[in-house]
Amino acid sequence: MTYYNINGKIVPKSEAFVHVSDLSLHRGYSIFDYFCVREGMPLFIEDYLDRFEASAEMMLLKLPIDRVEIKKRIDNLIALNEVKEAGIKLMLTGGDSEDGFTPAAEANLYILVLPPITFPEEIVQHGMRLLLHEHTRYIPNIKMTNYVEVLRQRKQLQEKGMHDLLFHQNGVVSESSRSNFFIVTPQGQLVTSSDDILYGVTRKQLLKIAPNHYEVEIRNIKVEEVKDAQEAFICSSAKGTIGIVQVDDWKIGDGRVGAVTRRLNSLYEEKISKYLAMNLRNIHVP
């Protein structure tokens, strides 16, 4: 990836620096969003920009440009970098602060084109292991750049042979550090957490697909339900769905990635293919 967009300027990656007075460095006052590019096309971009704008509004950060201009900058970067498969990261910060506390008159907007995130075939085929961790992210429905908790716990994860944290509070499971969480109950119901979560776009798409095939519930998931789950999986932009085969010392189901998880991932990929076909067709209509 050769070029980034820094406050409207195309900058070679090797020269893409931010000023030391950026409020994201001093106070962590910043948000971001991330989505995938397939066949040169940003996936579900309107949903991601809806969330990005909502996060900005809740953080009292004013976007310096409108959605139309953001999309133009994204399309331009994809073309300049000549990528078909990539990730796009949008970052909005409190700007360059004179006193290290007061937001600047204008926020900083960075747009980065990144290599696509891939996962080892071992994880895709055989699933992930999660470690229960009592924690709720600060204002979880805002996609902040603050991922401190999982970084603090990385040594513990490594020592226990786990891949990620599964947050819980007062006996209720919410999400992993970077993904939404689902279980399949012994009765075959698909359940996803409702409270104290980031409302993921992949989760949104799965909740459009799943009711045509399964009974779906959106509600709090108790820790005890995870122990008894037939299947569990996480989902995110980069992951699609990834099966969870172990939480703490408990084996989930038979300890293998389940049929529901695999089927939903297949249905999600079909939705992506239809999305690409529709949008690419619209682009080429005279």
Side-chain angles (χ1 to χ4, degrees):
M1 308 303 168
T2 308
Y3 298 105
Y4 292 162
N5 188 300
I6 307 297
N7 288 326
K9 296 180 180 179
I10 300 298
V11 180
K13 178 181 177 181
S14 60
E15 301 173 17
F17 301 106
V18 300
H19 197 275
V20 71
S21 63
D22 191 306
L23 207 51
S24 64
L25 298 176
H26 288 266
R27 306 292 173 176
Y29 191 39
S30 54
I31 62 166
F32 82 104
D33 223 308
Y34 176 93
F35 50 89
C36 297
V37 174
R38 296 267 193 101
E39 297 182 26
M41 174 73 62
L43 293 182
F44 310 118
I45 187 168
E46 300 297 342
D47 290 322
Y48 286 102
L49 291 179
D50 283 346
R51 185 171 67 181
F52 190 60
E53 290 173 355
S55 291
E57 184 176 357
M58 286 185 281
M59 284 283 278
L60 303 181
L61 284 168
K62 184 178 180 181
L63 279 160
I65 56 175
D66 63 18
R67 179 180 296 211
V68 172
E69 182 60 28
I70 292 176
K71 290 196 288 187
K72 285 181 181 178
R73 291 184 184 182
I74 291 168
D75 290 341
N76 187 39
L77 273 185
I78 291 171
L80 281 172
N81 285 286
E82 299 180 338
V83 291
K84 291 295 183 181
E85 310 287 321
I88 299 287
K89 178 175 279 189
L90 304 175
M91 299 183 69
L92 186 69
T93 83
D96 297 341
S97 173
E98 291 187 5
D99 61 4
F101 181 79
T102 306
E106 187 165 296
N108 286 326
L109 176 63
Y110 311 133
I111 306 177
L112 315 181
V113 182
L114 306 172
I117 297 173
T118 58
F119 289 84
E121 192 63 20
E122 172 72 16
I123 286 179
V124 173
Q125 294 301 323
H126 301 293
M128 293 178 68
R129 299 180 296 275
L130 301 182
L131 182 67
L132 272 175
H133 184 70
E134 192 166 2
H135 178 71
T136 300
R137 290 186 305 107
Y138 177 64
I139 319 181
N141 57 330
I142 298 178
K143 196 166 177 67
M144 298 180 187
T145 55
N146 180 353
Y147 280 60
V148 168
E149 194 61 26
V150 68
L151 295 174
R152 285 183 62 247
Q153 301 301 326
R154 65 190 186 279
K155 183 178 180 182
Q156 183 181 196
L157 287 170
Q158 186 177 24
E159 289 174 347
K160 293 181 178 294
M162 297 297 196
H163 297 104
D164 200 357
L165 301 175
L166 180 59
F167 295 148
H168 70 101
Q169 199 81 43
N170 299 321
V172 173
V173 169
S174 54
E175 58 188 356
S176 79
S177 71
R178 289 161 288 177
S179 308
N180 290 125
F181 182 71
F182 286 74
I183 64 169
V184 179
T185 70
Q187 295 76 34
Q189 295 169 320
L190 185 66
V191 185
T192 188
S193 308
S194 57
D195 298 337
D196 296 327
I197 64 169
L198 180 73
Y199 297 107
V201 173
T202 304
R203 173 184 180 271
K204 178 179 179 179
Q205 299 303 325
L206 290 175
L207 289 175
K208 290 180 180 179
I209 297 167
N212 295 321
H213 307 275
Y214 304 101
E215 182 181 345
V216 177
E217 292 187 0
I218 303 171
R219 59 168 173 80
N220 287 337
I221 299 173
K222 296 180 180 179
V223 171
E224 289 76 12
E225 290 183 277
V226 178
K227 296 180 182 180
D228 297 331
Q230 180 178 307
E231 295 182 37
F233 64 88
I234 56 174
C235 69
S236 72
S237 305
K239 299 179 183 72
T241 66
I242 295 285
I244 303 304
V245 296
Q246 182 180 334
V247 174
D248 279 6
D249 295 328
W250 321 321
K251 182 172 70 173
I252 303 299
D254 63 3
R256 295 181 292 180
V257 178
V260 174
T261 302
R262 293 191 187 278
R263 186 182 186 198
L264 282 173
N265 197 61
S266 178
L267 291 168
Y268 177 63
E269 287 296 326
E270 287 179 17
K271 187 174 182 70
I272 288 174
S273 295
K274 291 176 182 177
Y275 177 90
L276 290 172
M278 180 181 67
N279 284 278
L280 290 170
R281 184 171 62 247
N282 290 342
I283 286 174
H284 293 113
V285 170

